[in-house]
Amino acid sequence: MSATGVRTAEWIVTDLDGTLVGRDLRIVEANLAALRRFTGAGGSVVVATGRSEESALPYYRELGLATPAILYNGARIVDLGTGAVLYRRCLSAAAWARLTLLFDEMPDGVWPVAFSDGRAHVRSESAALAEYARRDRITLARIGSWGVLPFDEIIKVMLICDRPELVDAAETALAGFAADPGTGVTLVRSEATYLEVLPAGATKGTALRELAALRGVPMDRIAAIGDNPNDLDMIQAAGLGPAEDDGDPGVRAVAAPPPPPPPQRRGRRLRGGRRRRPGRPGHGVILTVVGCAGTVPGPDAACSCYLVEHAGFRLLLDLGTGALGPLQRYADPCAIDAVVVSHPHRDHYSDLIPLAYLRDRRGAEERLPVTAPAGTSAHVVNPAAPPAYAGALDWRTPPAEPRPFGPLTVTTAPVVHSVPGVAVRVEADGASLTYSGDSGECGELLDLARGTDVLLCEAAASVRTPGASETHLTPAQAAGLAREAGAGHLVLTHLRPWADPLAALRAAREVYAGPISLAVPGLRVMV
């Protein structure tokens, strides 16, 4: 409460189209001025939209925001400053397969758009699609078949209709599909000529609750503003919910009066986390999570494998069970320049075996440099293997001092684990990434991670069992390491498939106040 007894907001969560952005696709000047007054008084602004990363980013930059954005009508929460995905839902592979068949039953004038890996894919061209692309400021990638898209990575589907009445026809065509509990989808009308197919439970309201929980902001200190039915549950979830005067009548009916901004206060910063300089450019070092599951592959993730790219050089940190397959989505395995293996456990090295076989069969002329703790090669190289296959890998010892790997500089440090292992620090052009490997708490890991821009840290121990050998970190311990090291961004990884990822994020958030991401396949972070 304020001194006058009126509830005040810490966050304003706002829809874009029809709320913050006018029909000319520009942020209404009065809205921009009001939000700047709110942030100047100590509040924070969060964007919640049906748009994709590409579409929302220009508005995010114009507003000068540093908060994560709720995208795809709640199917993703993304830090648009780093590209880190904090929360995501996708259509099931079975639902997507059925949808591709139902597309053929749509009436003329209904045009499907499928979103995957941050891109919008179409099979046709039409005036309605062209207008949609112009309006949302996105590029539509035309494909020959829906089958070329990964079946388990479809974020949402939009049906763009030539006329409003075709939305009714499309919804009727999908009624039986959507009513089947096994499909796990929700239909949402986001505009007069747009029908969206979203994963069940993916709403702006659900995403807002998740983001508020991660950031520790009470729902009764959040104001949500919107104008369309897809904003309704967000407004209901927030403690304060103003609606646009010209918005949908059902939305206006549940909305509360607009909130005042919080009292003027100084910016607050919890311990841990270095604030990036405003507008800090990326250094061209890109981290891509290929696999991140701990111990065994999960239904949606291979074991540990992380691709680091800079100036055309490709370095792999680990290549665990099942990772060679998804690696081919991001790089040619025969074009990998070097590998660093953190320790000789199969969930970190086993796919070196098929990689060596692949390189031999494809006639790779150069041996692949593999840096790994002593003894790792004995686990990988089968003495009975053909000489060419056995010799495809060039084994090297981990560098205790900085060593050049192409344009990168790599340093390692021994860590505490059940077998000899190392943590790895990669640097280039003033940017730094530190990968913990598998480790319990130890001073060597802390020293290696000091001042790192991105800490990619394992959190396989969901809880600490008294008396147990401390060879893994809990999420809270990983966060404590990030805090003590002064890391700029924590990426939690190596969670076991049966672990609760959101519980891990919440535990880490209680300890570390900087940006936290959960490693998921396809996550890309600019270091």
Side-chain angles (χ1 to χ4, degrees):
M1 293 285 185
S2 68
T4 62
V6 178
R7 286 184 297 170
T8 59
E10 290 189 31
W11 283 5
I12 286 180
V13 183
T14 178
D15 172 50
L16 282 179
D17 297 284
T19 302
L20 188 61
V21 176
R23 288 186 173 85
D24 60 357
L25 304 181
R26 297 179 180 178
I27 297 176
V28 177
E29 192 60 38
N31 293 343
L32 182 60
L35 291 181
R36 286 176 174 167
R37 288 195 299 271
F38 181 79
T39 56
S44 295
V45 174
V46 174
V47 165
T49 178
R51 291 175 179 256
S52 64
E53 293 92 335
E54 178 186 7
S55 181
L57 187 57
Y59 296 114
Y60 180 91
R61 287 174 171 164
E62 184 177 354
L63 291 165
L65 300 182
T67 50
I70 296 170
L71 304 177
Y72 301 102
N73 274 322
R76 277 197 176 187
I77 302 174
V78 180
D79 182 336
L80 290 175
T82 65
V85 179
L86 307 183
Y87 168 85
R88 74 169 188 168
R89 289 175 181 257
C90 292
L91 298 175
S92 70
W96 168 241
R98 285 184 62 183
L99 263 177
T100 59
L101 298 177
L102 290 170
F103 289 160
D104 294 333
E105 300 178 15
M106 292 293 154
D108 291 341
V110 177
W111 311 97
V113 183
F115 288 84
S116 176
D117 195 26
R119 301 190 68 191
H121 304 272
V122 298
R123 288 197 58 197
S124 307
E125 295 180 353
S126 74
L129 287 174
E131 174 59 19
Y132 165 65
R134 183 198 69 81
R135 184 179 182 277
D136 269 34
R137 303 180 182 180
I138 61 172
T139 301
L140 298 178
R142 189 169 181 181
I143 55 177
S145 167
W146 295 118
V148 303
L149 300 180
F151 269 49
D152 57 349
E153 295 184 11
I154 306 300
I155 305 167
K156 76 169 184 177
V157 170
M158 290 192 67
L159 300 177
I160 307 300
C161 302
D162 286 346
R163 304 180 304 279
E165 59 268 25
L166 287 174
V167 176
D168 295 328
E171 192 167 20
T172 299
L174 294 177
F177 166 73
D180 181 353
T183 60
V185 303
T186 300
L187 303 183
V188 175
R189 295 190 183 213
S190 53
E191 295 287 346
T193 55
Y194 297 172
L195 181 66
E196 303 194 20
V197 185
L198 291 162
T203 69
K204 290 184 180 181
T206 300
L208 176 56
R209 291 185 190 94
E210 294 292 346
L211 181 57
L214 291 176
R215 293 301 170 97
V217 178
M219 294 299 294
D220 64 1
R221 301 300 300 277
I222 298 174
I225 307 173
D227 69 319
N228 264 328
N230 63 318
D231 300 314
L232 182 56
D233 79 317
M234 176 179 74
I235 293 171
Q236 292 172 321
L240 302 161
E244 286 294 295
D245 289 341
D246 59 351
D248 182 273
V251 176
R252 294 202 310 270
V254 301
Q264 183 73 31
R265 56 183 171 88
R266 294 177 179 272
R268 182 170 59 93
R269 182 186 177 198
L270 301 177
R271 289 188 65 203
R274 292 180 293 104
R275 288 184 177 176
R276 289 180 178 266
R277 296 185 297 275
R280 178 189 181 207
H283 291 274
V285 178
I286 302 174
L287 165 68
T288 301
V289 176
V290 178
C292 54
T295 308
V296 296
D300 302 311
C303 287
S304 292
C305 181
Y306 312 95
L307 174 64
V308 181
E309 298 173 276
H310 177 62
F313 191 88
R314 298 178 179 88
L315 169 68
L316 285 185
L317 303 177
D318 285 341
L319 188 60
T321 311
L324 181 60
L327 172 63
Q328 295 170 72
R329 294 176 181 166
Y330 311 108
D332 178 353
C334 291
I336 297 300
D337 296 291
V339 181
V340 177
V341 175
S342 62
H343 64 286
H345 276 160
R346 288 183 181 274
D347 56 329
H348 293 262
Y349 77 78
S350 70
D351 271 29
L352 281 172
I353 299 170
L355 176 61
Y357 180 85
L358 175 65
R359 291 176 66 88
D360 175 44
R361 286 306 177 105
R362 286 183 52 184
E365 297 181 0
E366 300 292 332
R367 299 172 70 198
L368 177 64
V370 178
T371 298
T376 304
S377 61
H379 294 269
V380 175
V381 178
N382 182 348
Y389 157 58
L393 307 179
D394 178 12
W395 294 93
R396 305 181 181 186
T397 57
E401 299 296 327
R403 178 188 297 174
F405 278 53
L408 302 169
T409 299
V410 174
T411 311
T412 66
V415 293
V416 175
H417 198 49
S418 56
V419 295
V422 295
V424 185
R425 184 175 178 121
V426 181
E427 298 174 285
D429 294 342
S432 58
L433 161 70
T434 301
Y435 171 46
S436 67
D438 282 7
S439 177
E441 291 183 308
C442 65
E444 292 85 351
L445 177 55
L446 173 60
D447 288 341
L448 188 71
R450 290 192 188 279
T452 193
D453 290 303
V454 176
L455 175 60
L456 177 64
C457 192
E458 73 111 335
S462 55
V463 294
R464 176 62 62 213
T465 303
S469 175
E470 295 192 0
T471 58
H472 287 286
L473 297 172
T474 66
Q477 288 175 318
L481 172 64
R483 181 189 65 200
E484 296 304 316
H489 180 186
L490 171 63
V491 181
L492 292 174
T493 191
H494 203 54
L495 272 67
R496 290 166 171 142
W498 54 87
D500 182 347
L502 290 180
L505 280 169
R506 293 187 184 101
R509 174 54 56 203
E510 292 179 0
V511 178
Y512 172 73
I516 302 178
S517 301
L518 183 68
V520 293
L523 171 67
R524 308 192 89 186
V525 178
M526 293 292 296
V527 179

